[in-house]
Amino acid sequence: MVICPECEGDLDIEEDEVDEGEIVSCPECGTDFEVVGVEPLELTRVEGEEEEEEEEEEEEEGEY
């Protein structure tokens, strides 16, 4: 069983059936994760375009 790093819900994926680079989504919180390692399974959060734009705006505001 794989646990979502965001909400700790159960990710319904089989560890031996995913490959590096695949994107998996949590059915509980909807967060997308990229598989960055398979042995052991490692996931990293995929930031959406909206989140990236918000971060860029925050950075620009802090520069003044």
Side-chain angles (χ1 to χ4, degrees):
M1 176 170 37
V2 181
I3 303 296
C4 174
E6 283 293 311
C7 72
E8 299 183 2
D10 180 26
L11 293 176
D12 190 24
I13 58 174
E14 296 294 326
E15 292 182 52
D16 58 343
E17 293 181 6
V18 293
D19 294 318
E20 285 185 29
E22 282 190 47
I23 304 296
V24 295
S25 296
C26 176
E28 296 292 322
C29 66
T31 303
D32 292 330
F33 298 96
E34 179 179 359
V35 178
V36 293
V38 291
E39 287 186 30
L41 184 66
E42 291 182 53
L43 303 173
T44 185
R45 183 176 178 178
V46 175
E47 293 189 17
E49 289 181 22
E50 291 178 12
E51 291 175 359
E52 289 175 6
E53 289 175 6
E54 288 175 11
E55 287 178 8
E56 288 175 9
E57 290 174 6
E58 290 173 4
E59 288 175 6
E60 289 174 3
E61 291 174 3
E63 291 178 4
Y64 298 106

